[in-house]
Amino acid sequence: MTTVPVSDLRNYNKVLNQVSYGNEVALTKNGKAQYAIVEMEELERLRALCLLMSEIRKSEFDIAAGRVVTLGDARKEFGL
């Protein structure tokens, strides 16, 4: 990850040229990282990963609460 002061955005083309897939640019404000610039493809991948993790977590709660039917139980229920 590349880190640059937010004031460097005055020359935003130089900053944007540092952004690539897997190399985010962190913008600092008062010496502290505040913002990140990422490629859209990477942002979409991160959003999909977050959605997947959320669905996995919901499934864990369903399993713990007994709201999941096993394949064997479904076969018995539907006579398969």
Side-chain angles (χ1 to χ4, degrees):
M1 180 181 301
T2 304
T3 304
V4 298
V6 74
S7 61
D8 280 7
L9 284 180
R10 289 184 199 113
N11 186 2
Y12 64 89
N13 282 326
K14 180 181 173 187
V15 173
L16 293 179
N17 285 334
Q18 296 177 55
V19 178
S20 63
Y21 190 90
N23 184 50
E24 308 84 13
V25 172
L27 300 175
T28 61
K29 189 173 180 181
N30 298 324
K32 182 179 176 186
Q34 290 289 104
Y35 310 99
I37 302 175
V38 298
E39 285 191 346
M40 288 304 296
E41 180 183 344
E42 189 165 0
L43 177 62
E44 290 168 3
R45 183 184 62 83
L46 290 170
R47 285 182 173 168
L49 181 60
C50 287
L51 179 61
L52 176 61
M53 296 301 294
S54 174
E55 292 300 317
I56 289 171
R57 188 72 177 139
K58 287 180 196 175
S59 296
E60 290 172 347
F61 284 121
D62 287 340
I63 291 168
R67 292 189 292 255
V68 176
V69 177
T70 67
L71 179 58
D73 290 342
R75 285 182 173 157
K76 287 179 190 173
E77 177 74 23
F78 296 106
L80 301 174

